[in-house]
Amino acid sequence: MKIGELSASSATAIETIRYYEREGLLPSPARTEGNFRIYETPHLERLQFVRYCRSLDMSLDEVRALLKFKDAPAERCGDVNDLLDAHIGHVSRRIRELRTLEKQLKELRQRCCEARPAQACGILSELTQASKEVVPAEGRASNHLRSVHSG
């Protein structure tokens, strides 16, 4: 199948497929004499695996590690278990951060309970004041959510 068919079959953008190829997540397909990529069923199955892992918020490195084990089915899967345990930890940390963010936003929302002129808006006032107090870390407010895979 050509890349457009693979795209349609997997609900994946063509550029994403090409990106996954460049990243080594998908093997390079054979090419026709006209230099068109020709994908086989294993490409579709691997792409679906990658997409599902990504839907579980796994990083490309995590997916890459899982694919190594998938490609070596006789290997023991202890490292797969460790990878998933670490990922669960990332997700748990992200949930805690999101709950904190939700609490902050709800507290902020209480600053303005009715429509009024923007100059009297408690939300805008609080955001303005807080933005002057917070020193950005790496271009973001220090208590803003960070990517769970950034460190």
Side-chain angles (χ1 to χ4, degrees):
M1 72 184 96
K2 291 184 180 177
I3 197 165
E5 296 168 287
L6 180 63
S7 173
S9 295
S10 64
T12 306
I14 290 173
E15 282 306 312
T16 301
I17 294 169
R18 289 181 180 145
Y19 175 72
Y20 287 162
E21 283 180 32
R22 285 191 306 271
E23 289 294 314
L25 298 172
L26 286 178
S28 297
R31 293 191 177 251
T32 66
E33 288 181 21
N35 207 27
F36 289 103
R37 293 172 170 95
I38 298 297
Y39 297 89
E40 304 292 334
T41 301
H43 289 100
L44 174 61
E45 292 170 351
R46 190 172 183 99
L47 180 57
Q48 289 170 325
F49 180 86
V50 170
R51 298 249 321 159
Y52 186 70
C53 290
R54 296 291 288 148
S55 77
L56 296 174
D57 200 34
M58 291 184 183
S59 69
L60 293 181
D61 286 339
E62 289 170 322
V63 175
R64 203 173 278 112
L66 291 172
L67 287 169
K68 285 180 184 176
F69 283 97
K70 195 166 170 23
D71 293 339
E75 294 289 324
R76 305 212 31 99
C77 68
D79 289 342
V80 173
N81 295 337
D82 293 343
L83 183 148
L84 196 59
D85 288 342
H87 186 66
I88 291 167
H90 293 154
V91 170
S92 295
R93 189 166 42 256
R94 177 85 189 254
I95 289 169
R96 285 191 304 274
E97 290 174 343
L98 287 169
R99 285 187 178 134
T100 299
L101 177 60
E102 179 186 36
K103 182 181 175 193
Q104 290 172 336
L105 291 170
K106 285 180 176 181
E107 288 171 1
L108 182 61
R109 178 61 182 90
Q110 295 303 309
R111 302 280 185 193
C112 188
C113 298
E114 59 187 53
R116 57 178 75 172
Q119 67 188 20
C121 178
I123 294 171
L124 293 175
S125 176
E126 181 67 23
L127 288 171
T128 300
Q129 181 179 342
S131 69
K132 293 176 183 176
E133 296 170 6
V134 175
V135 177
E138 301 176 13
R140 292 181 235 150
S142 62
N143 58 353
H144 192 285
L145 288 177
R146 295 170 306 282
S147 169
V148 295
H149 301 294
S150 65

